Amino acid sequence: MPSHRYRPAHERVEIPELRRAWPGRRIERAPLCVPVDLRDGNQALAEPMDTPRKRRMFDLLVAMGFKEIEVGYPSSSRTDFDFVRHLATRGAVPDDVTPVVFTAARRDLIEQTFASIQGMPRAVVHLYTATAPVWRDVVLGQDRAGLHALIREAAGHIARLADAMPETALRFEFSPEVFNCTEPDFILEVCNGLTRLWDASPDRPVIHNLPATVEIATPNLYADQIEYMHRHLERRDAVILSVHPHNDRGTGVACAELAVLAGAQRVEGCLFGNGERTGNVDLVTLALNLYAQGVDPMVDFSDIDVIRRTVEECNRLPVHVRHPYGGDLVYTAFSGTHQDAISKGLAHHERVAAERGVPVGEAPWSVPYLPIDPADVGRTYEAVIRVNSQSGKGGIAHLLQAHHGLDLPKALRAEFSRVVQDATDRSGREATPEDLLRLFRAAYMAQDGPVTLGEGEGEGEGAGPAAALAAALEASGIAVEVLWQGGHPAEGGAVAYARCRVGDTSVWGAGEDTDAASASARAVLAAVNRALAGRRVDLSQG
């Protein structure tokens, strides 16, 4: 491949030298997360959202607790303009939510943007212009001085229009698009100029949003750029430093996390990472990464499946089954070693909760392979362990106990797992908890076989029904020794397990009945019949 055509990041953009502080910091509070699904995400859809879909997405974002929401690019299309007017005229924006509207640095587009927010009690007007050398030269045809003059003129027009709209509490945001590929001194010059022009103050701060519009470098370099700006921006207490990472290199979340360490206070992104090309930073992953570290994300993800379904329906794009935190299979283990560890971990978690006298959902979480408790995001434990040909005894036993109340002896678990693996290998499909119960009953509980007990047949004595049955079989010419027996209560009665030596063969059997004595006799009978007539079970049957 012609790799010589491409330059490394340090040859494409100036990375300022600084004594980095961000590597030694920890994230102890969440940044302000601002969803841009209705603007940036919407621009990336093959079928952009209409007003009903936009309203459904907006209502979801409000319900989740986002306090700033970018609601559209009103000058880009009639649909976007109409939706912003819909929000303004229907009183749809709660008092604690601030809508953000996006505009390019052109007088007519700015005026159309202000027309869209007439009547809103509060809003942020978000001005953007690409600033990187390639964009200046190839797209805009402007040198640095010319582009700076264009930005100042647009920002001044915004300030004048805001003065003429005193009924709306307005704040301003500026995005030097492709910030990460722009000269640092130019960005500082432009941003500091706007801070002064808009007369930013701590009670009316300006937002400087610094996008990694196209990822070109490792996340540490983006963090260096953000820390440089954090240190050198004027009126720092009157500036909200925001970032807008994209995901071209697949490191959008890492860029956002390191940017927060470097001084960013606000992050723009989309739910599940929708956006142009490989997408915007994924706010679901970003927020729940914080949550998994004990940091309140300040956004509610307690019903991740409803969130995912709504996003899929509004975007008409699927969320991958392996998507972090939200995919259908991200809390699911098929591997035997994983299942065994998770099963033991869940049991340990329940014991710890009981010992501390707290509900299971309040006990500190420490379960192998599960970074957070699936129940915290609305998932049930039923989907945590699923069985196929790769599964092991621990997972199979967990499902039998969780779904059907069968607590198999350890030695029987290992043997039954081979029965399941044989069945799943031959069927090529997953075994459901119902399949497992059917397989277990067919393999270990079936009463039909060469030995039957009719009325008046067989006499024997022993310490309990199982031993008495063994003695009766011995008297009938079938040598049986009960090596182990046990059981437990079950719905409708009892379940028993027995390991017997029949001749030279050691076999397991199980039985269920209305009482423990009858169940144990049935377990011995099942073991004997298994020894005398082996059976083969197929998942495709029944």
Side-chain angles (χ1 to χ4, degrees):
M1 297 178 68
S3 58
H4 61 276
R5 300 178 60 209
Y6 305 97
R7 291 181 295 157
H10 67 271
E11 294 181 9
R12 298 173 63 182
V13 62
E14 178 186 346
I15 306 296
E17 290 291 331
L18 74 162
R19 296 177 66 86
R20 300 172 181 85
W22 64 261
R25 294 181 181 142
R26 296 178 181 175
I27 302 177
E28 296 179 342
R29 59 177 297 179
L32 176 66
C33 288
V34 179
V36 296
D37 301 76
L38 292 165
R39 192 277 300 175
D40 197 340
N42 189 55
Q43 288 177 279
L45 299 178
E47 300 176 38
M49 289 181 271
D50 55 16
T51 293
R53 284 159 63 201
K54 278 177 169 281
R55 180 58 192 269
R56 187 174 181 194
M57 178 71 82
F58 178 79
D59 289 345
L60 170 69
L61 298 172
V62 168
M64 293 175 67
F66 289 104
K67 299 307 180 187
E68 278 186 23
I69 301 172
E70 193 167 81
V71 296
Y73 190 168
S75 63
S76 69
S77 70
R78 188 71 203 182
T79 302
D80 267 37
F81 184 89
D82 288 347
F83 178 67
V84 178
R85 294 306 302 147
H86 167 86
L87 295 178
T89 59
R90 300 292 179 89
V93 182
D95 292 341
D96 61 346
V97 173
T98 301
V100 182
V101 287
F102 190 74
T103 182
R106 234 176 64 188
R107 178 180 287 261
D108 59 327
L109 302 183
I110 292 170
E111 291 173 354
Q112 192 171 357
T113 301
F114 271 80
S116 75
I117 59 173
Q118 289 284 343
M120 282 188 172
R122 78 203 66 81
V124 171
V125 177
H126 182 178
L127 174 69
Y128 85 95
T129 301
T131 55
V134 173
W135 272 256
R136 295 197 306 260
D137 297 341
V138 175
V139 181
L140 302 174
Q142 296 276 2
D143 60 12
R144 282 174 50 155
L147 183 60
H148 195 174
L150 182 152
I151 294 169
R152 281 199 307 269
E153 166 56 28
H157 194 48
I158 284 174
R160 292 188 291 274
L161 291 174
D163 288 341
M165 194 185 288
E167 71 279 5
T168 301
L170 288 170
R171 291 189 292 115
F172 309 127
E173 176 177 356
F174 174 64
S175 284
E177 191 178 356
V178 214
F179 152 80
N180 59 320
C181 297
T182 306
E183 307 93 330
D185 66 312
F186 183 49
I187 294 292
L188 269 177
E189 178 186 338
V190 171
C191 289
N192 286 335
L194 294 185
T195 300
R196 295 190 294 269
L197 188 155
W198 284 332
D199 195 21
S201 63
D203 60 342
R204 190 168 175 259
V206 67
I207 301 166
H208 285 312
N209 183 56
L210 308 178
T213 307
V214 180
E215 275 196 312
I216 65 160
T218 50
N220 59 299
L221 296 184
Y222 187 54
D224 286 348
Q225 293 173 307
I226 298 301
E227 184 164 348
Y228 177 82
M229 296 296 293
H230 168 60
R231 292 186 187 182
H232 293 89
L233 283 168
E234 295 178 2
R235 304 192 198 181
R236 187 64 187 86
D237 62 345
V239 172
I240 296 172
L241 180 54
S242 177
V243 293
H244 183 117
H246 278 252
N247 199 45
D248 300 84
R249 291 169 55 94
T251 58
V253 170
C255 279
E257 291 177 329
L258 298 193
V260 171
L261 292 174
Q265 301 149 287
R266 181 179 182 271
V267 178
E268 296 183 351
C270 288
L271 298 180
F272 301 106
N274 179 44
E276 294 283 6
R277 306 179 311 279
T278 51
N280 292 287
V281 63
D282 172 18
L283 294 184
V284 175
T285 302
L286 178 67
L288 289 176
N289 279 356
L290 294 174
Y291 181 75
Q293 297 295 309
V295 176
D296 185 351
M298 307 301 290
V299 185
D300 185 0
F301 291 93
S302 60
D303 198 337
I304 196 76
D305 290 334
V306 166
I307 295 168
R308 190 191 72 242
R309 285 195 300 270
T310 304
V311 171
E312 287 178 326
E313 290 166 8
C314 290
N315 287 344
R316 295 180 179 168
L317 292 172
V319 172
H320 196 278
V321 295
R322 300 291 182 192
H323 194 102
Y325 299 107
D328 272 336
L329 296 180
V330 295
Y331 304 106
T332 301
F334 290 100
S335 161
T337 54
H338 291 200
Q339 291 175 342
D340 183 62
I342 290 171
S343 180
K344 290 175 179 175
L346 292 174
H348 175 75
H349 179 70
E350 290 182 0
R351 288 195 299 271
V352 169
E355 290 166 1
R356 297 190 178 198
V358 298
V360 171
E362 295 295 327
W365 183 253
S366 183
V367 173
Y369 295 111
L370 297 177
I372 66 171
D373 185 346
D376 287 353
V377 290
R379 291 286 178 86
T380 66
Y381 294 127
E382 291 182 4
V384 170
I385 292 176
R386 288 165 59 177
V387 170
N388 62 16
S389 61
Q390 304 300 308
S391 303
K393 60 183 184 296
I396 292 167
H398 173 85
L399 291 181
L400 281 177
Q401 184 168 25
H403 290 267
H404 306 297
L406 297 181
D407 187 8
L408 273 58
K410 287 186 177 180
L412 180 54
R413 295 176 187 181
E415 182 178 310
F416 180 54
S417 70
R418 292 191 290 272
V419 173
V420 174
Q421 187 171 47
D422 178 64
T424 52
D425 273 336
R426 286 184 286 107
S427 71
R429 66 177 181 86
E430 181 183 345
T432 66
E434 290 68 32
D435 290 330
L436 295 178
L437 179 61
R438 183 175 57 81
L439 282 168
F440 183 78
R441 281 178 169 162
Y444 295 97
M445 288 185 168
Q447 299 297 304
D448 58 318
V451 178
T452 59
L453 290 179
E455 187 176 351
E457 290 185 18
E459 293 184 4
E461 296 181 1
L469 176 58
L473 292 169
E474 182 83 28
S476 300
I478 302 173
V480 178
E481 180 185 358
V482 179
L483 303 175
W484 184 93
Q485 62 176 321
H488 54 76
E491 186 176 354
V495 173
Y497 311 95
R499 184 165 176 259
C500 302
R501 180 179 291 117
V502 183
D504 295 330
T505 305
S506 176
V507 290
W508 280 95
E512 53 188 347
D513 213 316
T514 55
D515 60 86
S518 299
S520 63
R522 289 185 179 278
V524 171
L525 181 62
V528 171
N529 277 324
R530 289 189 70 231
L532 300 180
R535 61 182 68 249
R536 181 180 175 90
V537 183
D538 193 329
L539 264 180
S540 62
Q541 298 173 350

